């Protein structure tokens, strides 16, 4: 982080904490320069960031003042889903969300795509071009079933940051994280089984359960600390649950990082009840703080945690390069991979392996952490400015997804349909529930560059929500 970014964050924290009150004049550029021992241009750049975030307002010949704005909205409370197994619904709504990708005019706040237009990805595109020119036969050949060895070796090195020590031959390459999760479920569950999930939970995982005829039991989840250990234990005592699916690091959609002590608790609970933990770590590398948080897999001693991840969110979804670390279920996972999908594309694996090996991956991820953190601050300010005062907003600890809880009378399913006519896509909260709860919530993708076009679109979204409140 540069000096001016660090200073901007420091001043933003002081504003949020009320040390600089609404309408109060901030220290002069010269005074701050002397206080922090930095140049005047550094202070000016920091103030420019705060102005872009609409935290401060310049006044000619008077200096900078804290903007008059709404109070910081509270964090949503612990969710309270019905704790019984249910069949997953919402498929039609998910299809509408996916179909909108074909409309190039649509401003998609509802998707989960990362920003793939950053210059730090250029080495990857050059490597793919080089491979196409010099290794066409290898790129177009069959792959080995567990994936390219050079890629698995690089992934094993990356996993050390999350606390896991694994060998390359313990990793299986998959068709993205979606493919990894599908193979994991096929390996440990059969139709009619019950799986516990966080609530809310990623709609893609929900629809896998629906497709495999597996019932979901939604467990209350805290937006800051994760799944309720007590509620999960109660569910395990009442129902024959086969597995629990968790996104403990930079959760989708709530953004929390589960504290390490709670990760150990949920692992101990799984050991006591002899169930599988399917850990989705797809966002773990995008944690705002470094070093990145540990995985539950890193604490596992008996191979019951199946870790799934990919480069979909850190690099690009079109690569379709993911992986699974199956633990004690390795043989079953290999069989299910062959039965369900077979082999992976060699070319993208080779390119990603070189991208990591040559040091470009870590530079890119460091850049994206900073960009997404700045985007999160900007979009949170816009939500506060344009949405009704009676909202709750998460405080994501990484990644690029923001969860907003609106007043109960707002039906975001209806509002989303109205927004589509304006070429604005929103993801209603009901998509993230097996039973269609959270209709008054939405998830916002802040990976979209915070341009004037996106600010205006979010403003229109806020206006539509206000109208829905008045009509409701």
């Amino acid at each position: 982080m540069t000096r001016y970014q660090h200073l901007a964050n420091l001043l933003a924290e002081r504003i949020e904490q009320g040390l600089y009150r609404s309408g109060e004049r901030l220290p002069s550029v010269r005074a701050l320069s002397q206080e922090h021992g930095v140049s005047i241009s550094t202070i000016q750049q920091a103030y420019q960031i705060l102005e872009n975030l609409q935290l401060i307002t310049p006044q000619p010949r008077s200096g900078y003042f804290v903007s008059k704005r709404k109070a910081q909205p509270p964090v949503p409370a612990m969710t309270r889903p019905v704790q019984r197994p249910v069949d997953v619904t919402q498929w039609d709504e998910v299809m509408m969300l996916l179909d909108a990708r074909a409309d190039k005019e649509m401003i998609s706040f509802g998707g989960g795509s990362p920003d793939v237009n950053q210059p730090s990805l250029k080495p990857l595109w050059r490597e793919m071009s080089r491979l196409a020119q010099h290794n066409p036969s290898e790129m177009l050949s069959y792959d080995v079933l567990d994936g390219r060895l050079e890629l698995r070796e690089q992934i094993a090195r990356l996993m050390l940051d999350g606390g896991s020590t694994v060998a390359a031959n313990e990793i299986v390459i998959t068709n993205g994280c979606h493919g990894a999760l599908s193979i994991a479920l096929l390996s440990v569950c059969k139709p009619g089984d019950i799986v516990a999930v966080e609530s809310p939970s990623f709609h893609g995982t929900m629809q896998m359960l629906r497709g495999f005829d597996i019932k979901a039991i939604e467990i209350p989840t805290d937006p800051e600390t994760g799944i309720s250990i007590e509620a999960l234990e109660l569910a395990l005592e009442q129902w024959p649950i086969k597995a629990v699916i968790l996104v403990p690091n930079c959760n989708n959609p709530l953004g929390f990082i589960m504290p390490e002590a709670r990760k150990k608790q949920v692992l101990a609970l799984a050991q006591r009840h002899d169930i599988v933990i399917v850990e989705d770590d797809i966002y773990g590398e995008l944690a705002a703080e470094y070093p990145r948080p540990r995985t539950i897999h890193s604490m596992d001693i008996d191979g019951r945690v199946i870790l799934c991840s990919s480069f979909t969110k850190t690099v690009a979804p079109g690569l379709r390069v993911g992986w699974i670390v199956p633990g004690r279920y390795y043989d079953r996972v290999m069989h299910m991979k062959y039965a369900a999908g077979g082999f992976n594309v060699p070319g993208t694996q080779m390119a990603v392996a070189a991208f990591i090996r040559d040091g470009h991956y870590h530079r890119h991820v460091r850049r994206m952490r900073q960009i997404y953190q700045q985007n999160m601050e900007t979009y949170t300010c816009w939500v506060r400015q344009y949405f009704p005062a009676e909202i709750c907003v998460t405080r994501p600890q990484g990644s690029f997804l923001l969860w907003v809880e609106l007043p109960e009378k707002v039906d975001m399913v209806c509002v989303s349909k109205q927004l589509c006519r304006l070429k604005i896509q929103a993801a209603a909260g009901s998509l993230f529930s097996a039973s269609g709860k959270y209709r008054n919530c939405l998830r916002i993708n802040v990976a979209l560059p915070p341009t004037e076009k996106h600010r205006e679109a979010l403003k229109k979204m806020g206006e539509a929500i206000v109208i829905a409140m008045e009509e409701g």
Side-chain angles (χ1 to χ4, degrees), residues 109 375-383 402 446 448-450 454 458:
F109 290 114
N375 287 4
M376 189 71 71
E377 292 171 358
T378 301
Y379 276 97
T380 301
C381 286
W382 287 347
V383 166
L402 187 66
V446 307
L448 301 178
H454 295 122
L458 204 67

Side-chain angles (χ1 to χ4, degrees), residues 151-442:
L151 177 59
R152 289 184 282 121
E153 288 174 340
Q154 295 301 327
I155 291 171
R157 294 188 179 102
L158 292 181
M159 288 186 64
L160 290 171
D161 285 344
S164 292
T165 303
V166 298
N169 61 8
E170 298 176 76
I171 299 169
V172 178
I173 304 301
T174 61
N175 182 26
C177 192
H178 197 97
L181 291 167
S182 296
I183 292 168
L185 289 171
L186 287 170
S187 300
V188 299
C189 297
K190 62 182 185 299
D193 280 346
I194 302 170
V195 168
V197 297
E198 299 154 324
S199 183
S201 189
F202 171 49
H203 58 75
T205 303
M206 294 289 195
Q207 295 307 320
M208 282 182 218
L209 298 178
R210 175 189 173 104
F212 299 151
D213 195 22
I214 297 170
K215 294 183 182 298
I217 181 166
E218 297 183 80
I219 307 298
T221 302
D222 186 274
E224 295 184 294
T225 60
I227 196 167
S228 167
I229 307 297
E230 298 76 18
L232 178 59
E233 184 170 19
L234 182 63
L236 288 169
E237 291 169 354
Q238 290 181 322
W239 304 97
I241 293 171
K242 200 67 171 287
V244 56
I245 304 174
L246 299 173
V247 189
N249 294 323
C250 304
N251 176 270
N252 175 13
L254 295 178
F256 61 79
I257 294 175
M258 184 185 287
E260 197 164 301
R262 295 182 71 83
K263 291 175 181 175
K264 292 176 180 177
Q265 285 180 298
V266 78
L267 179 57
L269 197 59
Q271 291 167 339
R272 190 157 68 246
H273 289 268
D274 194 25
I275 65 166
V276 182
I277 294 177
V278 178
E279 181 176 14
D280 179 350
D281 190 50
I282 192 170
Y283 294 98
E285 290 277 279
L286 294 176
E289 298 295 327
Y290 189 84
R292 58 147 293 165
R294 287 184 65 182
T295 59
I296 300 176
H297 176 273
S298 69
M299 308 168 190
D300 182 25
I301 59 172
D302 59 358
R304 72 175 59 251
V305 179
I306 302 178
L307 184 135
C308 303
S309 192
S310 83
F311 296 104
T312 298
K313 308 302 181 182
T314 53
V315 184
L319 295 170
R320 306 314 304 146
V321 177
W323 67 92
I324 183 170
V325 186
R328 64 167 77 165
Y329 305 99
Y330 183 88
D331 291 341
R332 181 70 175 161
V333 161
M334 288 291 280
H335 189 187
M336 286 300 100
K337 184 190 176 186
Y338 182 75
F343 306 97
N344 299 99
V345 178
T348 51
Q349 292 182 70
M350 295 160 67
V352 172
F355 188 63
I356 302 168
R357 183 196 64 223
D358 296 341
H360 302 300
Y361 172 80
H362 280 108
R363 282 193 287 272
H364 173 69
V365 171
R366 281 197 300 270
R367 177 187 180 90
M368 299 318 298
R369 285 192 197 111
Q370 291 184 13
I371 288 173
Y372 293 148
Q373 194 173 359
Q374 291 168 12
N375 287 4
M376 189 71 71
E377 292 171 358
T378 301
Y379 276 97
T380 301
C381 286
W382 287 347
V383 166
R384 180 191 301 167
Q385 182 177 0
Y386 300 126
F387 283 30
E390 308 93 324
I391 63 172
C392 296
V393 182
T394 53
R395 309 282 193 274
Q397 294 174 272
S399 186
F400 48 81
L401 301 172
L402 187 66
W403 181 260
V404 181
E405 182 184 289
L406 304 162
E408 286 285 347
K409 56 186 174 182
V410 177
D411 187 342
M412 273 308 300
V413 176
C414 296
V415 174
S416 295
K417 292 176 181 176
Q418 296 168 12
L419 289 170
C420 275
R421 301 188 192 106
L422 301 175
K423 297 298 182 182
I424 301 170
Q425 184 198 52
S430 56
L431 295 173
F432 304 88
S433 167
S435 56
K437 283 177 62 66
Y438 314 119
R439 290 178 73 96
N440 64 314
C441 300
L442 75 154

